[in-house]
Amino acid sequence: MKLEQVTPVGEVVARLLSPHAEVVLHDSATDRIAAIWNPLSGREVGEPSLLGELDELTETGRDAYGPYPKVLPDGRRLSSVSAVLRDDAGTAAYVLCVNVDRTAFETASRLLAAFAAPVSGQPRVLFEHDWTEKLNESIAGYVQERGVPVERLSRADRVELLGRLDAAGVLSQRRSVPTVARALQVSRSALYQLLAEARKESHADPA
C-alpha cells in the first residue's frame, strides 16, 4: 500500500470536518507521522507516532477503534477514532486517526440548553393592549385543539373561531379585519360573511 493511495482519504475527511478536526496518518512501519491535516495538536510530519501499542491492536481482529477521549495540552477535549489500514497481504500499513475538537459542539449544546430553559410570562404592561397577541394565541390554541393547520379548517371551524375572536374583542380593534383575514387565510369578503354567520349564531344561542 503506497502513501499516495491513502492520503486522499485523510484529505477529504479533513475537508469535511474542518476546522474542528485533526486528521493524522501514521506509518506503522516507521512509527512516524506520514501526513497530517489541520494539526490541532501542533504535531508535524516525520514526528514519532508513539503508536507502540500498534502490534497489540492489530492482533485483536479489529481495525476500527473509538470514539475514545483525548485531551490537548491546552485542555481542549477531543473525541477520536482510529482505523488500521492493511495492505494486500493483511499487514497493517497505516493507522488513520481523526481527532475532533469538542469545544464548538459543547458550546452549542450549552447555548441550546439555555434557549430551551423555561421563560417567564409576557409582561402584562407591554402586551395587555396588543390585540395581535390575543389573535395569534387564540388561533394557535384553536388549531391545536382541532388538530389541523389553519389552511385545513372547515367553514364551520372558521365560523366558530371567529365567534371566539369576536367575543374576545379582537374584531372590534381598528384595522383588525385584514390582519384576521390574513391569519385565517381567507379574503376580506369571505371574512365578513363568516363573521356575519358567527354573530348570527351567537345571537341565536339561548345561552
Side-chain angles (χ1 to χ4, degrees):
M1 178 180 292
K2 297 181 179 180
L3 179 62
E4 55 267 26
Q5 293 176 298
V6 184
T7 51
V9 178
E11 184 174 350
V12 295
V13 172
R15 288 183 183 182
L16 177 65
L17 300 178
S18 178
H20 304 296
E22 170 187 80
V23 180
V24 189
L25 184 63
H26 302 278
D27 187 330
S28 60
T30 62
D31 195 24
R32 291 187 177 275
I33 296 176
I36 187 168
W37 298 266
N38 192 29
L40 301 176
S41 60
R43 292 178 293 177
E44 298 179 353
V45 172
E47 290 188 5
S49 294
L50 304 178
L51 293 178
E53 73 281 10
L54 179 60
D55 291 339
E56 179 181 344
L57 290 178
T58 54
E59 291 175 359
T60 65
R62 296 170 51 202
D63 286 342
Y65 299 87
Y68 52 86
K70 294 180 69 174
V71 181
L72 291 175
D74 60 8
R76 284 180 292 171
R77 295 191 298 169
L78 308 176
S79 288
S80 302
V81 292
S82 296
V84 178
L85 308 179
R86 301 179 183 274
D87 59 21
D88 293 340
T91 302
Y94 296 96
V95 177
L96 182 68
C97 297
V98 181
N99 305 311
V100 178
D101 183 357
R102 296 167 54 93
T103 304
F105 306 106
E106 291 175 348
T107 300
S109 177
R110 289 193 295 269
L111 181 62
L112 290 173
F115 272 114
V119 296
S120 58
Q122 294 175 336
R124 181 175 298 276
V125 67
L126 294 179
F127 292 95
E128 63 181 351
H129 298 302
D130 189 348
W131 61 269
T132 59
E133 283 291 318
K134 187 175 295 184
L135 168 66
N136 294 338
E137 290 175 359
S138 297
I139 295 178
Y142 188 81
V143 297
Q144 184 175 11
E145 175 187 324
R146 299 294 296 168
V148 295
V150 172
E151 64 270 16
R152 292 179 56 192
L153 291 176
S154 65
R155 180 181 181 85
D157 290 334
R158 287 188 166 87
V159 169
E160 181 182 357
L161 178 53
L162 276 173
R164 296 186 185 184
L165 294 174
D166 196 27
V170 171
L171 274 302
S172 64
Q173 301 297 322
R174 184 183 180 190
R175 298 178 181 174
S176 62
V177 169
T179 301
V180 175
R182 184 168 57 251
L184 294 183
Q185 300 184 22
V186 297
S187 65
R188 295 190 192 185
S189 59
L191 180 68
Y192 282 120
Q193 294 175 7
L194 294 168
L195 181 57
E197 188 174 338
R199 287 174 174 172
K200 181 179 179 180
E201 291 185 0
S202 176
H203 293 152
D205 189 346

